[in-house]
Amino acid sequence: MNDLTVIAGPTEAFSDAPFEARHLVNGAWCDSASGEVSERLSPAHGLVVSRAARGTRAETDAAISAARAAFDADDWSRRSGKERATLLLKVADLIDRDRARIARMEVLESGKPIAQAEAEIEGAADLWRYAASLARTMHGESHNTLGPDMLGVVLKEPIGVVSIITPWNFPFLIVSQKLPFALAAGCTCVIKPSELTPSTTVILGGLLLEAGVPAGVVNIVLGYGDPVGIALSTDPRVDMVTFTGSTAVGKHISEAAAATLKKVSLELGGKNPQVIFSDADLEQAIDAIAFGVYFNAGECCNSSSRILVQQDIADEVIERITAMSRSVSFGDPLNPATKVGAIISPEHQAKIDGYVRAARAAGAAVPIGGEILRVPGLAGQFYQPTVVGPVSPDMPIATEEVFGPVLAVLTFRDMDDALEIVNGSAYGLSAGVWSENVHTCLEFARRAKAGTIWTNTWMDGFPEMPFGGMRESGQGRELGRYGLEEFLETKTLTMRIGKTRGAWVR
Ligand code: NAP
Ligand code: MG
């Protein structure tokens, strides 16, 4: 461990009182009728950092009733784009005002590094501003080509009540990829954050109230997938479910929602490859490989947890990424110098370790890492930056979502071989290509089956650019104007001009 860059803790002796998180139902904060609460230990520090009401069917039912009544009252959904945009812009300003407080809470519950959390909260505010711009510019279409006496208009209307179910890896950012877009469209919502990271969603609820969101338009129910998430995906009063999380739960939700034919939008897992051709700029590529796999400790749907390296440069790439892994600072997430923080839970840490052990047992080399580490001064769970490979394309570590700071290295001969491995995955979230030859990049971009392709870069995202997966990585898109479209229904309005309608009977 001596040759690693470990940031020991504690960076500060913190004594924050545990955050008290309650449900937001119809504009008011409330506890569970059962009185039950869940305590959250900071993954890095092992201290209680929040206490959250643990929702039951009763609170979920009340929240859905409130969202349904608010939608059916035709107030929020009929407000002008200007009014909805004004509220979203206010929320963005409040997020900016409270950035430090939100980021700190995010660190304490998720274990991610503070510098990264602050950048995420800043990015989230930008999403609220971008959604505000969509609220004012969205429109349907007109058809002036249907003949002299006909005019066609396509109207866009909010879909209705939306359930928003989010995971623990980017709690504030992911709710901000969904909620402002749903609100811009005129929908009302019930949100269920992960039970591991409820507090920043609750803080957001407070900012929405402060900004003047009408009662019932945004409701929050805390608690577990069973029963809260299940009720949100089955209740007939809900029109749509938007979910981010594992592919397994995404499939459950899709199945559960089918009984009432709710629209379902899913952002699921990935096994996202970066493909490095021999002519790549390796200086740039190696840094992007480290960023791709170690960002957010690899607990990231967009994690590039496998790379494909052209055979003749494989040894050099493994050597260089192994060397760079030693300089990736990991440890106390409250230290601004930390790049890799803690692992979300001991169970998840064991799952990550299981993949590396299995690969080792199957004969794969592990040039660095593969160990559960204790960071001096901290009681929480960490996993060492780890490189495994070369591995064969059929090993679980090469095909499944590990969701940890673990890189699987595969090799390929040529473009066809690389694409066969890339497209052989059940997932299709994102993929990247590294080459100095534009033809190589464009051919890969067109033939790779993934919702996002990066050429000579990794994981850049913009509110303007749609994000989502093909195949088992999901359905539907977030961000961009497509992200708004998800929350809209289409209504066809066909109008006759003048008394020209021919008789059908006589
Ligand atoms: P998850 O199990 O997919 O849960 C995501 C959200 O769905 C949570 O709020 C969860 O509630 C809720 N949920 C669980 N079961 C449900 C059901 N039957 N109906 C409706 N909602 C339900 O993800 P996780 O527990 O956070 O992590 C498990 C694994 O998923 C990770 O190890 C990782 O591999 C993967 N994951 C992927 C992503 C991604 O972005 N692709 C994000 C996070 C996790 P609970 O509070 O009960 O969990
Ligand atoms: Mg879960």
Side-chain angles (χ1 to χ4, degrees), residues 255-337:
E255 215 178 311
T260 47
L261 279 184
K262 294 183 203 322
K263 180 171 180 179
V264 176
S265 166
L266 303 170
E267 296 296 340
L268 309 176
K271 191 70 190 175
N272 312 297
Q274 295 194 66
V275 178
I276 329 288
F277 282 85
S278 305
D279 68 340
D281 177 338
L282 283 189
E283 196 67 27
Q284 299 262 312
I286 299 292
D287 184 79
I289 294 166
F291 169 58
V293 68
Y294 299 135
F295 175 72
N296 213 51
E299 296 170 332
C300 185
C301 56
N302 253 334
S303 168
S304 178
S305 56
R306 58 172 177 154
I307 58 169
L308 277 59
V309 187
Q310 202 154 19
Q311 275 165 353
D312 54 331
I313 57 164
D315 290 346
E316 182 188 354
V317 167
I318 290 177
E319 211 166 280
R320 288 177 70 169
I321 186 63
T322 300
M324 186 168 276
S325 299
R326 293 201 173 89
S327 338
V328 176
S329 53
F330 76 102
D332 191 355
L334 284 173
N335 189 316

Side-chain angles (χ1 to χ4, degrees), residues 165-170 174 192-196 223-226 228-231 233 243-250 252-253 267-270 299-302 348 351 401-403 429:
I165 304 176
T166 58
W168 43 259
N169 51 348
F170 296 93
I174 288 175
K192 188 203 93 66
S194 164
E195 92 285 354
L196 299 173
Y224 285 81
D226 181 5
V228 180
I230 290 177
S233 9
F243 168 81
T244 298
S246 63
T247 294
V249 172
H252 280 302
I253 287 178
E267 296 296 340
L268 309 176
E299 296 170 332
C300 185
C301 56
N302 253 334
H348 188 59
K351 178 181 155 189
E401 192 175 44
V402 175
F403 234 59
L429 190 58

Side-chain angles (χ1 to χ4, degrees), residues 419 423 439-450 453 455:
L419 282 162
N423 293 338
H439 303 288
T440 304
C441 292
L442 289 179
E443 184 180 356
F444 178 86
R446 290 172 66 153
R447 291 176 64 193
K449 294 196 172 83
I453 308 288
T455 72

Side-chain angles (χ1 to χ4, degrees), residues 109-154:
E109 280 186 341
S110 76
K112 69 175 66 208
I114 185 72
Q116 181 195 318
E118 288 190 355
E120 282 173 29
I121 308 309
E122 189 179 357
D126 190 41
L127 290 172
W128 284 80
R129 293 199 173 94
Y130 176 70
S133 75
L134 293 178
R136 294 198 73 166
T137 53
M138 72 171 158
H139 55 78
E141 26 177 85
S142 62
H143 291 260
N144 202 21
T145 53
L146 308 179
D149 54 355
M150 298 300 286
L151 179 62
V153 176
V154 181

Side-chain angles (χ1 to χ4, degrees), residues 76 79 87 90-91 94 206-215 217:
W76 179 248
R79 287 194 189 186
L87 182 111
K90 248 187 225 165
V91 175
L94 295 174
L207 300 184
L208 278 153
L209 293 180
E210 190 179 340
V213 73
V217 170

Side-chain angles (χ1 to χ4, degrees), residues 377-447:
L378 297 176
Q381 59 278 341
F382 294 82
Y383 203 80
Q384 184 183 335
T386 297
V387 176
V388 184
V391 301
S392 61
D394 54 345
M395 288 170 72
I397 203 165
T399 59
E400 294 175 22
E401 192 175 44
V402 175
F403 234 59
V406 176
L407 180 71
V409 184
L410 295 85
T411 61
F412 71 94
R413 288 186 306 278
D414 53 20
M415 176 70 79
D416 285 347
D417 187 31
L419 282 162
E420 197 179 318
I421 300 170
V422 167
N423 293 338
S425 170
Y427 292 116
L429 190 58
S430 57
V433 57
W434 289 85
S435 165
E436 292 295 285
N437 184 332
V438 68
H439 303 288
T440 304
C441 292
L442 289 179
E443 184 180 356
F444 178 86
R446 290 172 66 153
R447 291 176 64 193

